[in-house]
Amino acid sequence: MSDGNTSANGAPGPKGRRLIMVTGLSGAGKTGLLRAFEDAGYYCIDNLPPKMIPNVLALAPPEWNGSAGVVVVADIRGRRYFGEELQSGLEFVKGESGWEPQIVFVEADDRTLVSRYKESRRPHPAAQNGDVLAAIGTERRDLAGLREIADVVVDTSSLTASEAKKRFARLVESHEGRLSVSITSFGFKHGAPMDVDMLLDVRFLPNPHYDPKLRPLTGHDEPVRDAVLGQGDTKTFLAHLRGLLGFLIPRYAAEGKTYFTLGIGCTGGRHRSVAIVEEMARHLREVGVDGPEIDLFVRHRDLGR
């Protein structure tokens, strides 16, 4: 394995032509994700009225034509102008035979979305009298049902433009017959991440923050790593976690899941969670898992705070 990728044999191939539905909150980054798919060879349609989704499937040629698949962005803009039920249009995709459908929901927190609209000076599509925050709240409530049925939820709140671009590229790569595994460290005092499939709390371990010599360091530094990883409870926890991931990852891949995100949190996201994430990443890079090919990505959300 090289460049953070862990390989093994036997990745499952696609079950049909790929159809990816991108939806989510206005300003969260749907356009950036669409561009990433387009760069990868997908045929992309932005702002498609939900009622037109069946027509897109019907017009597609019966045989592969060299395209990696079809990506459609459908959100409240279509409902605003056509008065359609967005959720029913996307649920239609789930029942289509001959296609391998997936719904990707892109979101961000209120503060981030308000900031983005202020910086861009673009109007929110659902805003009335310029009240962006109220429009975001309404849109979030209206799309709650879609978020529940989404296969992948991507939260771009803490991502810079370049980080979001990389995140989207990883998501696109996960559609190429490999399982994309992301391990994220974070601090609970900054809020738990919303886009994880599994969340683990390591605040049961002694906190290096209370050691004056270790406080200014991070989980990347050897003294902190030694203090965290040398604990008996840490060794037991890591042994269980290695076994858990070794069990889950092949089964997620066998079920056709393309993206799995594990969040590991401590209080501030600088010491314990960072050290443990790095150790788990090292293990997966060196040992891997039986069965699927995986792409491994590591992120430390709150390390710079």
Side-chain angles (χ1 to χ4, degrees):
M1 187 198 70
S2 60
D3 297 330
N5 297 334
T6 301
S7 297
N9 295 323
K15 300 175 182 177
R17 287 176 288 180
R18 296 188 183 97
L19 176 64
I20 294 113
M21 312 299 301
V22 176
T23 188
L25 300 178
S26 303
K30 298 188 298 294
T31 300
L33 179 55
L34 188 71
R35 289 172 181 164
F37 275 113
E38 190 170 36
D39 290 345
Y42 287 77
Y43 182 76
C44 298
I45 308 171
D46 189 16
N47 198 14
L48 183 74
K51 193 175 293 185
M52 297 294 294
I53 293 173
N55 299 75
V56 171
L57 304 189
L59 291 172
E63 303 294 335
W64 287 94
N65 60 357
S67 171
V70 177
V71 180
V72 173
V73 174
D75 51 34
I76 62 165
R77 294 173 294 172
R79 191 187 65 181
R80 177 184 177 187
Y81 290 103
F82 295 95
E84 299 169 355
E85 179 54 51
L86 178 59
Q87 185 161 345
S88 62
L90 296 190
E91 286 178 337
F92 171 85
V93 174
K94 290 286 191 177
E96 279 298 286
S97 61
W99 292 87
E100 188 184 357
Q102 186 175 50
I103 297 177
V104 181
F105 191 95
V106 187
E107 66 181 6
D109 59 37
D110 289 359
R111 178 182 297 180
T112 299
L113 294 174
V114 170
S115 175
R116 289 175 183 173
Y117 273 103
K118 285 184 177 179
E119 290 174 0
S120 68
R121 298 185 180 180
R122 295 190 63 190
H124 190 286
Q128 297 180 358
N129 301 321
D131 192 340
V132 175
L133 186 59
I136 293 170
T138 299
E139 184 180 27
R140 196 182 296 279
R141 288 190 297 272
D142 289 347
L143 296 180
L146 276 178
R147 190 184 187 281
E148 288 298 316
I149 67 171
D151 300 286
V152 178
V153 177
V154 181
D155 185 353
T156 65
S157 301
S158 60
L159 303 181
T160 64
S162 60
E163 288 173 340
K165 186 175 181 179
K166 292 178 181 177
R167 180 67 181 274
F168 293 152
R170 293 169 187 167
L171 181 59
V172 173
E173 289 172 4
S174 73
H175 288 76
E176 305 305 320
R178 301 170 70 93
L179 175 65
S180 180
V181 177
S182 294
I183 311 180
T184 300
S185 71
F186 69 93
F188 277 98
K189 74 176 185 180
H190 303 298
M194 300 176 65
D195 58 341
V196 298
D197 299 293
M198 181 182 298
L199 189 150
L200 298 175
D201 183 350
V202 296
R203 288 177 293 182
F204 65 88
L205 298 172
N207 192 349
H209 174 81
Y210 296 111
D211 185 331
K213 295 180 180 179
L214 300 180
R215 183 179 302 174
L217 305 178
T218 74
H220 285 304
D221 296 307
E222 188 173 351
V224 174
R225 286 178 52 83
D226 291 344
V228 174
L229 301 181
Q231 297 287 330
D233 282 347
T234 304
K235 295 176 181 178
T236 302
F237 171 77
L238 287 173
H240 287 302
L241 183 54
R242 294 184 191 109
L244 179 62
L245 294 184
F247 173 82
L248 289 177
I249 289 175
R251 285 159 179 80
Y252 283 141
E255 286 297 313
K257 189 174 178 64
T258 56
Y259 206 90
F260 171 69
T261 302
L262 171 65
I264 298 179
C266 59
T267 302
R270 289 177 47 84
H271 297 108
R272 291 166 291 182
S273 61
V274 173
I276 289 174
V277 164
E278 287 294 325
E279 176 59 23
M280 281 308 304
R282 183 200 63 77
H283 169 76
L284 289 175
R285 290 185 181 115
E286 292 182 1
V287 179
V289 293
D290 292 332
E293 292 186 2
I294 69 170
D295 293 320
L296 177 64
F297 302 100
V298 174
R299 177 182 171 220
H300 300 295
R301 192 192 72 175
D302 298 324
L303 191 58
R305 290 181 184 264

